[in-house]
Amino acid sequence: MHSVDRQTEQMIRSVLAYAENRLRLDPVPLDRGSRRVEDLEAVFGGLLGQKGTDPDQVLGIYTSTIAPAVISADSPRFLGFIPSAPTKASLLFDMLVSCASIQGISWLEAAGAVHAENQVLRLLADAAGLPASAGGVFVSGGSAGNLSALAVARETAKRRAAEREGADAVRGRRWRVAVGTDAHSSITNTLMLLDMDAFVVETPDHRLTGEALRAALAADGDPASVAAVVATSGTTNAGIIDDLAGVSAVAREHGWWFHVDGAYGAAGLFAPTVREKYTGIEHADSFIVDPHKWLFTPFDCCALVYRDPALARTVHTQDASYLDVIHSGAIDGGIPAEWNPTDYAYHLTRRARGLPLWFSLAVHGTDAYGTAIEAALTLARQTAEEIRIRPHLELIREPDLSVVLFRRLGWGPDQYTKWAQDLHDAEIAFIPPSAWEGEVVGRFAFLHPHTDMDLVREILDRTE
């Protein structure tokens, strides 16, 4: 299995030929996704056993059964949830990273890969306006990034409160995190895992503001139990950017950790037309952005950036006799001489998942990324205008970013479901309905720079 024999030679040719054909698809087809278990089992049944199967036959099962049963999130017709649109450069380099089998936990094992990843993290920190001391790590996704950051927020709050009030005064305190009503579901899950509670700030306009946070605090009366506040720079359902400046000001007044969940929307930092909406992110103690979303990188990839990485090291560094060798202890100006990605999140083993983004950025430059992001923003604005001119449709709110919510007057849940299913059955678009204030609505999530208004009009035509 580990030698280059005749079978391996054949696999190399077959798999690379398939990969080349997949890379050449332009546009990528949508495909159908869900299948009945019975239909899949009829093909897969008995495949895994004591004896192997001819690799071309196994690859044939992938091409004929698995691939068509997976909706292509990188298709310009994928307009649900949050799509993906990795560049060809990032896809190619992701293959290289996998072939190299890089264990990217430490400087000792992967200094070159870690340094390249850190270049990208530096670029992201600079875009957000964080200081030169900022740094972080690439993790698997937004959930992992939020969990790792809020673990540091909790431990930092404990330590600072103990220094301020005494250890006995804070022992057993139940910590809370202030969040808006539209915070991502991963935040709620993270707080459960970290044994913290959500201090939910009611946001009638679905946007967490400094004013709303102050009002909630005045009514609550227990700011000492709040360890952090989470703002969102691009909510998943509606693309709303919270009042980052106002929320960060309240956080600074109370000495809270300020975390920005920008898994989807923080990529807009590279788009000149919306950059001012992110004012306040420069005060973040941590923020995340998922390059596998709007920075055009393959799954799975989340960049987690800390203002003061040393705080993260005190929480996430793992101690074991066999790990002593990767920690030299050398510190230069507060920055370790050797940067170990394992010290900045809850993981240990990790692939160097930031390298495909590094390669693509180096090949294309940030201007190209800004242009691609602006394409989705422009499409969202044009779609909003198209909805306005159709009397049977209603725009729910002006898009902040590239998500557009709308309602079809007179429709109920069944009509939205049928509309979406018919579009998918015809492989016109994958655009599942969403919900807004308890009502089923239509939702466009634009990301792919090759999605165009002709497709949008075709989709909207089917609401008539």
Coordinates of all heavy atoms in Angstrom, one line a residue, residues 386-394 406-411 415-416 418-420 422-423 456-464:
E386 N -34.0 44.4 -8.8 CA -34.9 43.6 -9.6 C -36.1 43.2 -8.8 O -37.2 43.1 -9.3 CB -34.1 42.3 -10.0 CG -34.8 41.4 -10.9 CD -35.1 42.0 -12.3 OE1 -34.3 42.9 -12.8 OE2 -36.1 41.6 -13.0
I387 N -35.9 42.9 -7.5 CA -37.1 42.5 -6.6 C -38.0 43.6 -6.5 O -39.2 43.5 -6.5 CB -36.5 42.0 -5.3 CG1 -35.8 40.6 -5.5 CG2 -37.7 41.9 -4.3 CD1 -35.1 40.2 -4.3
R388 N -37.5 44.8 -6.4 CA -38.3 46.0 -6.2 C -39.3 46.3 -7.4 O -40.4 46.7 -7.2 CB -37.5 47.3 -6.0 CG -36.8 47.4 -4.6 CD -36.3 48.8 -4.4 NE -35.5 48.9 -3.2 CZ -34.2 48.7 -3.2 NH1 -33.5 48.4 -4.3 NH2 -33.5 48.8 -2.0
I389 N -38.8 45.9 -8.6 CA -39.6 46.3 -9.7 C -40.7 45.2 -10.0 O -41.5 45.3 -11.0 CB -38.8 46.5 -11.0 CG1 -38.0 45.2 -11.4 CG2 -37.8 47.7 -10.7 CD1 -37.2 45.4 -12.7
R390 N -40.7 44.1 -9.3 CA -41.6 43.0 -9.5 C -42.7 43.1 -8.5 O -42.5 42.9 -7.3 CB -41.0 41.7 -9.5 CG -39.9 41.5 -10.6 CD -39.3 40.1 -10.5 NE -38.3 39.9 -11.6 CZ -38.3 38.9 -12.4 NH1 -39.2 38.0 -12.4 NH2 -37.3 38.9 -13.3
P391 N -44.0 43.5 -8.9 CA -45.0 43.8 -7.9 C -45.4 42.6 -7.0 O -45.9 42.9 -5.9 CB -46.2 44.2 -8.8 CG -45.9 43.6 -10.1 CD -44.4 43.6 -10.3
H392 N -45.1 41.4 -7.4 CA -45.5 40.3 -6.5 C -44.4 39.9 -5.5 O -44.6 38.9 -4.7 CB -45.9 39.0 -7.4 CG -44.7 38.5 -8.2 ND1 -44.2 39.2 -9.3 CD2 -44.0 37.4 -8.1 CE1 -43.2 38.5 -9.8 NE2 -43.1 37.4 -9.1
L393 N -43.3 40.6 -5.6 CA -42.2 40.3 -4.7 C -41.9 41.5 -3.8 O -42.3 42.7 -4.1 CB -40.9 40.1 -5.5 CG -40.9 38.9 -6.4 CD1 -39.6 38.7 -7.1 CD2 -41.3 37.6 -5.7
E394 N -41.3 41.3 -2.6 CA -41.0 42.3 -1.7 C -39.7 42.1 -1.1 O -39.4 41.0 -0.5 CB -42.1 42.3 -0.6 CG -42.0 43.5 0.4 CD -43.1 43.5 1.4 OE1 -44.1 44.1 1.1 OE2 -43.0 42.8 2.5
F406 N -36.1 38.0 0.5 CA -37.3 38.6 -0.1 C -38.5 37.7 0.2 O -38.3 36.5 0.6 CB -37.1 38.7 -1.6 CG -37.0 37.4 -2.4 CD1 -38.1 36.9 -3.0 CD2 -35.8 36.7 -2.4 CE1 -38.1 35.7 -3.6 CE2 -35.7 35.5 -3.1 CZ -36.9 35.0 -3.7
R407 N -39.7 38.2 0.0 CA -40.9 37.4 0.1 C -41.7 37.5 -1.2 O -41.7 38.5 -1.9 CB -41.7 37.9 1.3 CG -42.3 39.3 1.2 CD -43.3 39.5 2.4 NE -42.7 39.3 3.7 CZ -42.0 40.2 4.4 NH1 -41.9 41.4 4.0 NH2 -41.6 39.9 5.6
R408 N -42.3 36.4 -1.4 CA -43.2 36.3 -2.6 C -44.6 36.5 -2.0 O -45.1 35.6 -1.2 CB -43.1 34.9 -3.2 CG -43.6 34.9 -4.7 CD -45.1 35.0 -4.8 NE -45.6 34.8 -6.2 CZ -46.8 35.0 -6.6 NH1 -47.7 35.4 -5.7 NH2 -47.2 34.7 -7.8
L409 N -45.3 37.6 -2.2 CA -46.6 37.9 -1.7 C -47.6 36.8 -2.0 O -47.7 36.3 -3.1 CB -47.1 39.3 -2.2 CG -46.1 40.5 -1.9 CD1 -46.7 41.7 -2.5 CD2 -45.9 40.6 -0.4
G410 N -48.3 36.4 -0.9 CA -49.3 35.3 -1.1 C -48.8 33.9 -0.9 O -49.6 33.0 -0.9
W411 N -47.5 33.7 -0.8 CA -47.0 32.4 -0.7 C -46.9 32.0 0.8 O -46.6 32.8 1.7 CB -45.6 32.3 -1.3 CG -45.6 31.9 -2.7 CD1 -46.7 31.9 -3.6 CD2 -44.5 31.6 -3.5 NE1 -46.3 31.6 -4.8 CE2 -44.9 31.3 -4.8 CE3 -43.1 31.4 -3.3 CZ2 -44.1 31.0 -5.9 CZ3 -42.3 31.0 -4.3 CH2 -42.8 30.8 -5.6
Q415 N -45.5 26.6 -0.9 CA -45.1 27.2 -2.2 C -43.6 27.4 -2.3 O -43.0 27.2 -3.3 CB -45.9 28.5 -2.4 CG -47.4 28.2 -2.7 CD -48.2 28.4 -1.5 OE1 -47.8 28.1 -0.4 NE2 -49.5 28.8 -1.7
Y416 N -43.0 27.9 -1.2 CA -41.5 28.2 -1.2 C -40.8 26.9 -1.4 O -39.8 26.8 -2.2 CB -41.1 28.9 0.1 CG -41.4 30.3 0.1 CD1 -42.4 30.8 0.9 CD2 -40.6 31.3 -0.6 CE1 -42.7 32.2 1.0 CE2 -40.8 32.6 -0.5 CZ -41.9 33.1 0.3 OH -42.1 34.4 0.4
K418 N -41.8 24.0 -2.8 CA -42.0 23.5 -4.1 C -41.2 24.3 -5.1 O -40.6 23.7 -6.1 CB -43.5 23.5 -4.5 CG -43.8 22.9 -5.9 CD -45.2 22.9 -6.3 CE -45.5 22.1 -7.6 NZ -44.6 22.6 -8.7
W419 N -41.2 25.6 -5.0 CA -40.4 26.5 -5.9 C -38.9 26.1 -5.8 O -38.3 25.9 -6.9 CB -40.6 27.9 -5.4 CG -39.7 29.0 -6.0 CD1 -39.6 29.4 -7.3 CD2 -38.6 29.6 -5.3 NE1 -38.7 30.4 -7.4 CE2 -38.0 30.5 -6.2 CE3 -38.2 29.6 -3.9 CZ2 -37.0 31.4 -5.8 CZ3 -37.1 30.4 -3.6 CH2 -36.5 31.3 -4.5
A420 N -38.4 25.9 -4.6 CA -37.0 25.6 -4.5 C -36.7 24.2 -5.0 O -35.7 24.0 -5.7 CB -36.6 25.7 -3.0
D422 N -38.4 22.5 -7.4 CA -38.5 22.6 -8.8 C -37.2 23.1 -9.4 O -36.7 22.6 -10.5 CB -39.7 23.4 -9.3 CG -41.0 22.6 -9.0 OD1 -41.0 21.4 -8.7 OD2 -42.1 23.3 -9.1
L423 N -36.7 24.2 -8.8 CA -35.4 24.8 -9.3 C -34.3 23.8 -9.3 O -33.5 23.7 -10.2 CB -35.1 26.1 -8.6 CG -36.0 27.3 -8.9 CD1 -35.8 28.4 -7.8 CD2 -35.6 27.9 -10.3
V456 N -30.3 35.1 -11.9 CA -31.2 35.6 -10.9 C -32.6 35.9 -11.5 O -33.6 35.5 -10.9 CB -30.6 37.0 -10.4 CG1 -31.7 37.7 -9.5 CG2 -29.4 36.7 -9.6
R457 N -32.7 36.4 -12.7 CA -34.0 36.7 -13.3 C -34.7 35.4 -13.6 O -36.0 35.3 -13.5 CB -33.8 37.5 -14.6 CG -33.3 38.9 -14.3 CD -33.3 39.8 -15.6 NE -32.6 41.1 -15.4 CZ -31.4 41.4 -15.7 NH1 -30.6 40.5 -16.2 NH2 -30.9 42.6 -15.4
E458 N -34.0 34.4 -14.1 CA -34.6 33.1 -14.4 C -35.2 32.5 -13.1 O -36.4 32.0 -13.1 CB -33.6 32.1 -14.9 CG -34.2 30.8 -15.3 CD -33.2 29.9 -15.9 OE1 -31.9 30.2 -15.9 OE2 -33.6 28.8 -16.4
I459 N -34.5 32.7 -12.0 CA -35.1 32.2 -10.7 C -36.3 33.0 -10.3 O -37.3 32.4 -9.8 CB -33.9 32.3 -9.6 CG1 -32.8 31.3 -9.9 CG2 -34.5 32.0 -8.2 CD1 -31.6 31.5 -9.1
L460 N -36.2 34.3 -10.4 CA -37.3 35.1 -10.0 C -38.5 34.9 -10.9 O -39.7 35.1 -10.4 CB -36.9 36.6 -9.9 CG -35.9 36.9 -8.8 CD1 -35.5 38.4 -8.9 CD2 -36.4 36.6 -7.4
D461 N -38.3 34.7 -12.1 CA -39.4 34.4 -13.1 C -40.2 33.3 -12.6 O -41.5 33.3 -12.9 CB -38.8 34.1 -14.5 CG -38.3 35.4 -15.2 OD1 -38.6 36.5 -14.7 OD2 -37.6 35.2 -16.2
R462 N -39.7 32.3 -12.0 CA -40.4 31.1 -11.5 C -41.2 31.4 -10.3 O -41.8 30.4 -9.7 CB -39.4 30.0 -11.3 CG -38.9 29.4 -12.7 CD -38.0 28.2 -12.5 NE -37.7 27.6 -13.8 CZ -38.0 26.3 -14.1 NH1 -38.6 25.5 -13.2 NH2 -37.7 25.8 -15.3
T463 N -41.2 32.6 -9.8 CA -42.1 32.9 -8.7 C -43.4 33.5 -9.2 O -44.3 33.8 -8.4 CB -41.5 34.0 -7.7 OG1 -41.2 35.2 -8.5 CG2 -40.1 33.5 -7.2
E464 N -43.6 33.7 -10.5 CA -44.8 34.3 -11.0 C -45.9 33.2 -11.2 O -45.7 32.1 -11.2 CB -44.5 34.9 -12.4 CG -43.5 36.1 -12.3 CD -43.1 36.7 -13.6 OE1 -43.6 36.1 -14.7 OE2 -42.3 37.6 -13.6

